[in-house]
Structure formats: structure tokens, C-alpha cells
DNA sequence: TGCTTCGGTTAGTGGCAACTTACCGTTCGT
DNA sequence: ACGAACGGTAAGTTGCCACTAACCGAAGCA
């Protein structure tokens, strides 16, 4: 999941799909400065973690962003966020006690 | 930001700090199966994007998770989340029209 | 003031992953 | 049925980054 988002090119692909809407593989290859096979491989990774979804229309595959993977990231972030706040509160607590 | 979270070892370090609370560099090196310099380098990266914060106490540096970096990630995710839902709604709309 | 502990930095290496080139199957058009 | 367009896959190369070993400075303790 976060591994998939770790690559800059994959983020560009996601951003392209997000702002430009659903797009074919060839279409993405025109907008993103890498070869078509590279796009294909990245889409495979993004699809494996549920960040994109594809739909066959004729010979072309239309890819779009998908929320499935985002949910996992969101819950992870929410938990992390809560714990970070808690940790900060504890830290302030101890600091206040020790002054 | 997402580059920092892209590395598994860095996520282990973050997870260790999150669940185990603030810790020194040497302490992290004992819990995470990499050398101390590696820990140091990862902490530098994590600190640069505001995911951890350190506090010098004597000769040792105590690291803790920090919310600064999480905020950026959260806003990015929220925006992405909204757009994904919107894109899905549009897709359903077109699908319904075309049936 | 040595001696030790702790930690950041540098130099160098190894492994992985992102990329391209080439190939092949599939589907549409004529 | 033939050719073209589209896209997934395989093989091979390259560049980057995570890691270790070695060195150095800073702060506590006798």
C-alpha cells in the first residue's frame, strides 16, 4: 500500500487519473513521461493494492482511481494520528509535572 | 513525505516509536534489526518530513513521533478521497445513462 | 583529564526496482 | 480473413538507495 505510493511515477499516474478522469493505458503513456510498458507495470502494482480499477472497453483498458485502497490508508492514518496526539499529550503532561 | 513512508524499515521505526513510546537511537537499534547508523539515517529522513521529533537529553537523543508530517498526509488523503468518490459517482451516472 | 558512551557523518558496496526494447495475444475495422 | 491498434509480459540493463564498517565530535563519569 504505502510501498505503492512510495514511487513518484506512480503518484504522477494517480494524480493524472485523479485530475483528468479515467484514461486508457496509451493515454496515460502520452501524459506521463515514461514508456507504455512502464505504465502497465505501475498500473499492475496500483491495482494490486486497490488504488486503481480497470474496465475493458474494446481493445483498450480504461483505468480509474478506486477508493478501496484509500480506506486502508485512511484507517492506518487515523490510528497513527490518534496515537501521535496521545503521545504528545503524555509528553506535555510529563513536561508540566517536571517543571 | 510518501517517499519517507515508502521504506519498510522506516515504517518499522515509526511503528516502534508509536507503540513503544519515545526512544533513543541506540534503543531503536536494539529493537529494529538494522545497524545504528542505518537508524540514524532513517531518522534524519523521517525528521525532514516532520514525522519524528528529537530532543537531546544528555548524550542521548530521544525520538518521538510527531504530528506535523501527518497533517500533510491527511489533507492529501482527504482531497484524494473526495475526488475518488466524485469520480465514482460520475462513473455510476454515466453507466446509468447508458443502460 | 583520560575514558566511556552515545550518536551523527562519510565512504563504499550490494541488491532491488524502475525503465526500455522486443515479443505475443486479443480485438476491431475493412 | 488480413492488417492495425491496444495492451500485457519477458528479458536485460542501469541507477538509486538501504546498509555496514570506520571515523569523529560531544557530553557524562571516574
Amino acid at each position: 500500500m504505502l510501498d505503492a505510493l512510495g514511487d513518484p511515477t506512480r503518484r504522477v499516474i494517480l494524480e493524472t487519473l485523479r485530475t483528468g478522469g479515467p484514461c486508457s493505458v496509451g493515454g496515460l503513456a502520452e501524459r506521463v513521461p515514461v514508456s507504455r510498458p512502464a505504465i502497465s507495470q505501475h498500473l499492475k502494482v496500483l491495482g494490486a493494492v486497490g488504488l486503481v480499477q480497470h474496465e475493458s472497453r474494446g481493445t483498450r483498458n480504461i483505468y480509474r482511481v478506486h477508493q478501496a485502497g484509500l480506506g486502508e490508508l485512511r484507517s492506518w492514518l487515523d490510528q497513527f494520528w490518534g496515537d501521535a496526539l496521545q503521545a504528545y499529550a503524555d509528553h506535555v503532561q510529563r513536561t508540566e509535572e517536571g517543571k
Side-chain angles (χ1 to χ4, degrees), chain A residues 1-89:
Chain A
M1 167 79 252
L2 282 168
D3 295 285
L5 290 171
D7 183 69
T9 308
R10 278 196 285 269
R11 289 200 296 272
V12 170
I13 292 176
L14 274 180
E15 207 69 14
T16 303
L17 286 176
R18 183 174 71 87
T19 61
C23 187
S24 67
V25 177
L28 284 171
E30 292 175 359
R31 300 159 190 263
V32 180
V34 292
S35 70
R36 190 188 50 73
I39 300 283
S40 238
Q41 293 161 4
H42 283 310
L43 286 173
K44 189 177 184 179
V45 175
L46 291 172
V49 296
L51 282 172
V52 298
Q53 197 180 17
H54 69 98
E55 169 192 2
S56 298
R57 186 167 299 182
T59 73
R60 53 181 48 158
N61 283 359
I62 308 297
Y63 281 81
R64 73 181 73 253
V65 292
H66 195 224
Q67 325 97 300
L70 292 175
E72 182 189 346
L73 177 57
R74 174 177 276 269
S75 59
W76 177 86
L77 179 57
D78 283 344
Q79 184 182 6
F80 210 100
W81 178 273
D83 286 351
L85 285 180
Q86 184 62 41
Y88 181 70

